[in-house]
Amino acid sequence: MPIQQPESQLATSIRSIQRKQVVQFLLDNGLFIAFVLEVTLFAIAVPEMFLRSRTIEAILRLSGPAGIVLASYTITLISGQIDLSTAQVGGMASLMFAAVFQLLEWPLGVALALTVVLTIAVGLLSSYLIQQGIPSFVSTLAVGVVSGGIGFLIINLAKQPGMIRLVRPPLRDIANFEVAGVPFVIPLMFVAYAIGWVVLNQTKFGAHIYALGGNPAAAALNGINAVRIARIVLVTNAVITGMAGILIAGRQLAAQPGVEGLGQSLTAALFAGVALSGGSGKIERTLIGLLFLSTLTIGLGILNVSAPMRQLINGLAFVFAILLDSIRQQMATR
Amino acid sequence: MLGRLMQGERIISGRRRDHLLFLMDNGIYVVTVVLFIIFVFFAPFFFTQRNLVNILISASLAGIVTAGYTVAILAGQIDTSTQGVLAVATVTTALLFEEAGFSLPLTVIFALAAGIAAGLFNGLIVVNGKIVAFVATLATQGVMIAIALFLSGGQTITIAREGLQETVFIRVFGIPSSVWIMFLCYIVGWVMLTQTKLGAHIYATGADYRAALLSGVPVDRVIRVALVISALTAALTAILVTARAKQSALFGLAIAGSVDFVTALTAVLLGGFSLFGGVGRIERNLVAVLFLTILGNGLQLMDVPTGIILVVRGFALVFAVILSVLRARMS
Amino acid sequence: MASDEVILETTEVDKSFGAVHAVRSVSWKVYRGRVNALVGDNGAGKSTLIKLISGALQPNSGGFRVHGEETRIGGPAGAFNLGIAAVYQDLALVENRDVVMNMFLGSELTRGPGAIFLDHKGMLQQAHNVLDDIHARIPNVREMVRNLSGGQRQAVAVGRALIRGGEIIIMDEPTAALGVEQTQEVLQLIDTLRGQGKTIILISHNIQQVFEIADYISVMFHGEMLGTRSRDEATEAEVVAMIMGKRSP
């Protein structure tokens, strides 16, 4: 027989359920609200500067290469691996490419192939360490230090001062190539997302990625090869990061050890609800996370906010993102 | 590890295992001595009094950071914010001493307080936010570096005022003060870890968080304290680095002084402390720090490109991590 | 008893972990279409034995006969091919995935070239069929496993075993963590499976429950198989004595 609850207690429990629903709603849709709010605020603050096609293009341009990386980065996170080597691998790849293509003046294809080989090697090293039972964050951290070193080494060997200028056609033209007035990195980013979405939701491989990230032990007991998946995911991520590094270098006309704009992948993914611990998240949402951060960068730039202040805001955004992830985890287990 | 889950455990036979363990435990001493001898012959100016003192100072600075770092690792917290704390504390030191004209003791107190504040901030995010330390401190590091940039305006602050280096970097019995300070840190650390209740709690929290929690260990407070200690030693190092360089060392700190968490993490792992909880030996940490310093110094003197030195550093960390896993698997 | 057919047999199977001799030369018969209970104290070797049968571990020596044929069980995939499917105690479910994807975990249906793309429709249909067959009460197969009850989870895990073509279904302590009502649900599930001609290997601590549902009761002690009793001829006292290590005449 059901126990009669006193009126007030019932009311409290209903209220707490309602509150939980509100929190859940905010966790699920807060990003969209925040994005709209952000755009509105910037539009009110600097309407004539912000609401221009050039600004929108700048936001998309900034998002392009980062978005290509984020698509594969999201898959990596969902598989339960955190890759902390992104910035260094991107930088290393762009330097490798620049040294071969710009300084040695070898053909574009050869330079690309050599860069791909190098990034594959880096991805294999990360996955090898993970296979040995080392958590991915430590593995990729160490590999990041190595990659950063290789980047510096390339600069040393090329006897260049801190960066390699990258002005040889056709790369310069490719990186800034436009289709009907739209920089081609933007459609490329959407293609990367489309592929990522299909892989995660429509393929067996994607199903295994979710399972592995969600419960590695269960995945192993059901015959899913964790080592193979980790290897494919990390190598793919390293290669794509490398390619994005080249695109960024091509746009900036210089290759540098640390690549600007690739470090926000984790923040964007966490904003979008991808779990730090793996196994859950929707790839299409991370695009909004990225646009939110890109808009923030461009908007603050228009507002003439100083560089340290912008860095502080980005830092706090990261802190906020991990707090969000923590709240999500706690809601899920309750 | 996952792949091996299915294959059952692989057992390494007894004698081979003992040999391997012995090698892992004592190899670092041999390698350090061998490296030293190699550099004596091949690195110009390596075996000069000036350079040896240099090595000693560099090693002691890295050693101080590592001491606090060890405490954090023992409590199960991988602190990746060292760089951020260093940045905040070095800027604090330079600003207060040079621009605000604070007295030396006050400057030191405020710089250490900045370190404590940074540690408390880490603790807040880790404990109250319920976030694993390495992610939390990765995030706070960004904030700290931004604050340091903000305070310094992104500029290196040169210290023209007399009194900082002259007082802090004195020699006692011919040995630089930083070496004494390092030993003091290790003695205090050893006493705290082995002779106090706090030390027992730190070990317990790191070894088995749940068990410690259920046995009434104030795990949250222990984690906070461990993170504060880690940040405090980083701040102490920052004061010494600033005094030595006579400027705030915000940029290039990682390369020049090799005082960063990569060195600390490598040294702690080479020392036998496990990422997954477990016990190592603090004196091995010291030797590992010495080893890493000698390695960097010798290669630099041999005019090896910075890139290679960085790659070597990276592989040293990779190697240390592999060793740590091997050790965990064997015991 | 004589009329029952042996579907799986272990012959002098042996397994050690270092100095620990977990399974000592166990020869055991499992009968087709019956509930074969395996009981014993903690550390008696039950879990190791079923891991050997389900391919999660490999024996040091000894062999298996399935359907009367000498065979090796090389890993979980090999066990599936022989029609052996284990439902582990923790059920090996992925909390953040829905019922369908959990049931097809590791054996997803695919379509198109190269077996790359998922056949979502086919999986949905088959999941419904299997769950209906075992009378599982799961209103929405697109629900995350995280939100299911203990009995429902058990049904998902068993459903997975059936999808894998499981003829011999190993259930490791299926009711250990469940309340009274959920336990009844699982016992009914076992009964349903037996009704459909499946062979069940049931590992349990609960002697009363074993007597309620099992056809055969086998007892392990210190890694050895002490013997198998048909439920009708055994008494609870005898089985308890065997669990304590008393060899019967």
Side-chain angles (χ1 to χ4, degrees):
Chain A
M1 209 179 87
I3 299 158
Q4 290 294 321
Q5 271 192 344
E7 200 71 5
S8 63
Q9 208 175 327
L10 195 69
T12 335
S13 81
I14 287 172
R15 222 174 301 136
S16 97
I17 289 168
Q18 279 173 340
R19 213 175 59 201
K20 203 181 151 180
Q21 280 171 339
V22 169
V23 173
Q24 192 62 53
F25 177 82
L26 281 178
L27 283 176
D28 289 343
N29 304 293
L31 182 61
F32 299 101
I33 300 168
F35 184 51
V36 171
L37 213 66
E38 180 192 36
V39 171
T40 315
L41 282 178
F42 278 129
I44 293 168
V46 273
E48 69 288 353
M49 292 283 280
F50 190 75
L51 294 173
R52 292 190 307 179
S53 63
R54 259 188 63 196
T55 306
I56 293 163
E57 193 193 310
I59 291 169
L60 284 172
R61 254 180 204 282
L62 186 68
S63 305
I68 294 168
V69 172
L70 185 55
S72 90
Y73 196 88
T74 303
I75 296 175
T76 311
L77 269 181
I78 291 174
S79 80
Q81 316 289 353
I82 297 173
D83 190 346
L84 296 181
S85 63
T86 310
Q88 289 88 338
V89 170
M92 176 193 72
S94 70
L95 285 164
M96 176 74 184
F97 176 84
V100 176
F101 182 71
Q102 176 81 39
L103 299 178
L104 298 181
E105 298 200 7
W106 288 9
L108 183 73
V110 177
L112 277 178
L114 284 174
T115 312
V116 168
V117 168
L118 184 64
T119 46
I120 288 176
V122 164
L124 284 176
L125 180 59
S126 294
S127 56
Y128 169 76
L129 293 175
I130 290 169
Q131 192 184 339
Q132 297 307 308
I134 301 163
S136 59
F137 73 89
V138 185
S139 304
T140 54
L141 193 79
V143 169
V145 177
V146 172
S147 306
I150 294 174
F152 261 103
L153 182 59
I154 292 169
I155 289 185
N156 290 154
L157 291 177
K159 301 201 169 36
Q160 297 290 315
M163 61 163 177
I164 301 178
R165 284 174 46 72
L166 196 54
V167 290
R168 186 181 159 203
L171 178 84
R172 194 185 55 194
D173 310 318
I174 291 175
N176 298 293
F177 185 63
E178 292 187 356
V179 185
V182 181
F184 96 111
V185 289
I186 294 168
L188 199 63
M189 174 185 80
F190 287 111
V191 170
Y193 265 92
I195 294 173
W197 186 86
V198 170
V199 166
L200 278 178
N201 295 293
Q202 299 299 326
T203 72
K204 194 166 173 164
F205 185 63
H208 289 185
I209 286 174
Y210 270 109
L212 182 64
N215 187 345
L221 285 173
N222 286 287
I224 291 172
N225 188 339
V227 172
R228 187 173 144 264
I229 290 178
R231 192 181 300 137
I232 293 174
V233 164
L234 283 164
V235 168
T236 308
N237 196 44
V239 170
I240 290 180
T241 304
M243 294 300 113
I246 294 174
L247 280 177
I248 293 173
R251 200 182 63 214
Q252 296 177 338
L253 304 180
Q256 291 168 322
V259 173
E260 230 177 294
L262 290 186
Q264 292 186 327
S265 299
L266 194 52
T267 312
L270 293 181
F271 267 151
V274 176
L276 196 57
S277 51
S280 74
K282 292 195 170 75
I283 189 169
E284 57 273 21
R285 284 178 176 235
T286 63
L287 192 54
I288 309 288
L290 180 68
L291 289 176
F292 177 84
L293 291 176
S294 299
T295 308
L296 191 65
T297 306
I298 299 288
L300 292 176
I302 292 173
L303 284 174
N304 247 338
V305 173
S306 71
M309 195 57 176
R310 272 198 310 232
Q311 200 168 343
L312 186 62
I313 289 171
N314 281 330
L316 289 173
F318 187 17
V319 173
F320 183 64
I322 59 172
L323 285 173
L324 265 183
D325 178 66
S326 170
I327 293 168
R328 259 193 207 101
Q329 298 309 315
Q330 287 169 51
M331 293 281 291
T333 49
R334 209 165 280 163
Chain B
M1 192 167 74
L2 296 174
R4 302 233 159 90
L5 212 98
M6 310 303 304
Q7 297 163 14
E9 273 136 70
R10 284 197 313 185
I11 285 113
I12 301 168
S13 70
R15 264 188 73 189
R16 228 188 104 214
R17 178 172 162 236
D18 289 347
H19 287 165
L20 257 173
L21 267 178
F22 181 81
L23 207 67
M24 276 157 61
D25 285 346
N26 301 293
I28 186 78
Y29 299 100
V30 181
V31 173
T32 307
V33 171
V34 169
L35 191 72
F36 187 85
I37 294 170
I38 290 175
F39 280 145
V40 166
F41 286 107
F42 293 104
F45 308 111
F46 179 80
F47 199 63
T48 56
Q49 198 196 346
R50 210 180 140 179
N51 188 54
L52 292 182
V53 170
N54 241 335
I55 289 176
L56 211 57
I57 293 174
S58 294
S60 62
L61 294 174
I64 295 170
V65 172
T66 308
Y69 203 82
T70 308
V71 175
I73 288 274
L74 273 175
Q77 312 300 312
I78 301 175
D79 184 354
T80 53
S81 71
T82 309
Q83 218 87 300
V85 183
L86 286 167
V88 169
T90 187
V91 168
T92 309
T93 308
L95 273 183
L96 292 185
F97 192 75
E98 178 70 18
E99 315 234 314
F102 275 37
S103 70
L104 182 62
L106 263 184
T107 304
V108 170
I109 287 170
F110 273 100
L112 292 179
I116 292 174
L120 286 173
F121 181 41
N122 283 338
L124 183 77
I125 306 288
V126 170
V127 173
N128 299 61
K130 298 197 200 317
I131 295 164
V132 261
F134 95 89
V135 186
T137 50
L138 205 64
T140 56
Q141 173 190 240
V143 175
M144 290 177 204
I145 288 180
I147 290 174
L149 280 170
F150 197 67
L151 290 174
S152 65
Q155 304 293 316
T156 304
I157 304 159
T158 313
I159 297 172
R161 190 179 149 202
E162 296 285 303
L164 184 62
Q165 191 187 49
E166 293 77 359
T167 320
V168 173
F169 252 91
I170 45 164
R171 293 198 178 183
V172 183
F173 304 120
I175 293 170
S177 58
S178 64
V179 178
W180 292 109
I181 293 173
M182 179 192 74
F183 280 121
L184 192 68
C185 283
Y186 276 91
I187 292 168
V188 170
W190 184 84
V191 170
M192 185 195 74
L193 286 174
T194 59
Q195 307 298 319
T196 70
K197 201 165 152 181
L198 174 66
H201 284 173
I202 285 174
Y203 272 102
T205 305
D208 192 336
Y209 177 87
R210 262 194 72 76
L213 176 71
L214 294 175
S215 328
V217 172
V219 281
D220 288 349
R221 203 186 318 148
V222 170
I223 290 172
R224 269 187 243 270
V225 169
L227 287 170
V228 165
I229 290 173
S230 174
L232 190 60
T233 54
L236 184 58
T237 312
I239 297 170
L240 291 166
V241 169
T242 315
R244 187 181 178 213
K246 284 198 162 189
Q247 62 181 26
S248 69
L250 193 51
F251 304 103
L253 192 70
I255 303 163
S258 75
V259 182
D260 62 356
F261 93 94
V262 174
T263 307
L265 184 58
T266 311
V268 169
L269 290 175
L270 285 176
F273 290 87
S274 170
L275 282 177
F276 321 108
V279 200
R281 299 183 75 95
I282 209 125
E283 68 267 25
R284 251 193 337 245
N285 277 6
L286 273 175
V287 178
V289 166
L290 199 60
F291 165 77
L292 292 170
T293 312
I294 290 175
L295 188 66
N297 175 279
L299 289 177
Q300 236 163 17
L301 289 177
M302 283 172 77
D303 245 345
V304 171
T306 324
I308 293 192
I309 298 178
L310 288 174
V311 173
V312 168
R313 249 163 61 87
F315 275 112
L317 176 57
V318 170
F319 178 70
V321 170
I322 291 177
L323 259 189
S324 152
V325 171
L326 260 180
R327 213 188 286 270
R329 203 178 290 160
M330 278 162 67
S331 51
Chain C
M1 182 165 181
S3 63
D4 280 339
E5 182 194 342
V6 174
I7 187 166
L8 174 121
E9 192 177 354
T10 71
T11 45
E12 295 177 6
V13 165
D14 217 88
K15 179 72 185 175
S16 302
F17 302 99
V20 182
H21 204 162
V23 169
R24 297 164 190 260
S25 187
V26 165
S27 297
W28 183 39
K29 291 189 175 79
V30 174
Y31 296 95
R32 177 195 286 276
R34 301 292 172 207
V35 175
N36 301 264
L38 185 58
V39 299
D41 210 345
N42 287 335
K46 306 180 304 261
S47 285
T48 309
L49 183 61
I50 65 144
K51 277 185 183 147
L52 291 166
I53 294 173
S54 65
L57 290 174
Q58 294 298 315
N60 298 119
S61 65
F64 301 94
R65 294 171 77 87
V66 181
H67 297 292
E69 270 177 61
E70 196 79 27
T71 184
R72 257 188 82 244
I73 302 175
F80 292 142
N81 290 338
L82 292 166
I84 304 168
V87 177
Y88 294 95
Q89 192 173 355
D90 71 354
L91 303 179
L93 297 175
V94 183
E95 302 274 312
N96 274 333
R97 297 292 270 170
D98 64 26
V99 170
V100 178
M101 291 317 288
N102 265 289
M103 285 174 67
F104 283 90
L105 181 62
S107 60
E108 293 83 357
L109 298 185
T110 54
R111 63 188 160 79
I116 292 173
F117 295 104
L118 292 172
D119 180 5
H120 283 299
K121 228 169 153 183
M123 287 194 278
L124 185 71
Q125 190 57 47
Q126 207 176 323
H128 269 301
N129 292 346
V130 168
L131 289 174
D132 285 348
D133 281 350
I134 57 175
H135 311 305
R137 278 184 293 238
I138 298 178
N140 179 8
V141 290
R142 286 290 172 209
E143 185 70 70
M144 299 277 172
V145 163
R146 191 204 302 148
N147 302 327
L148 299 187
S149 74
Q152 288 173 323
R153 282 156 179 263
Q154 196 76 39
V156 173
V158 168
R160 177 196 288 160
L162 294 174
I163 280 169
R164 283 282 169 79
E167 284 301 316
I168 304 169
I169 294 168
I170 303 171
M171 299 178 80
D172 189 358
E173 300 277 7
T175 60
L178 301 183
V180 178
E181 198 180 330
Q182 308 276 350
T183 300
Q184 281 312 314
E185 224 172 276
V186 171
L187 292 181
Q188 258 166 27
L189 175 62
I190 294 173
D191 198 42
T192 308
L193 288 171
R194 173 168 50 194
Q196 290 169 355
K198 305 287 179 192
T199 306
I200 318 284
I201 296 175
L202 173 70
I203 293 169
S204 182
H205 259 101
N206 188 331
I207 301 296
Q208 273 180 338
Q209 196 182 88
V210 164
F211 269 88
E212 193 178 324
I213 189 88
D215 301 297
Y216 295 97
I217 301 165
S218 305
V219 184
M220 284 188 82
F221 179 73
H222 283 194
E224 283 181 64
M225 184 63 75
L226 287 191
T228 300
R229 297 281 175 276
S230 130
R231 180 196 46 193
D232 300 333
E233 36 183 73
T235 64
E236 282 192 30
E238 183 192 9
V239 170
V240 169
M242 284 168 81
I243 290 173
M244 311 280 274
K246 187 174 159 279
R247 273 158 223 275
S248 51

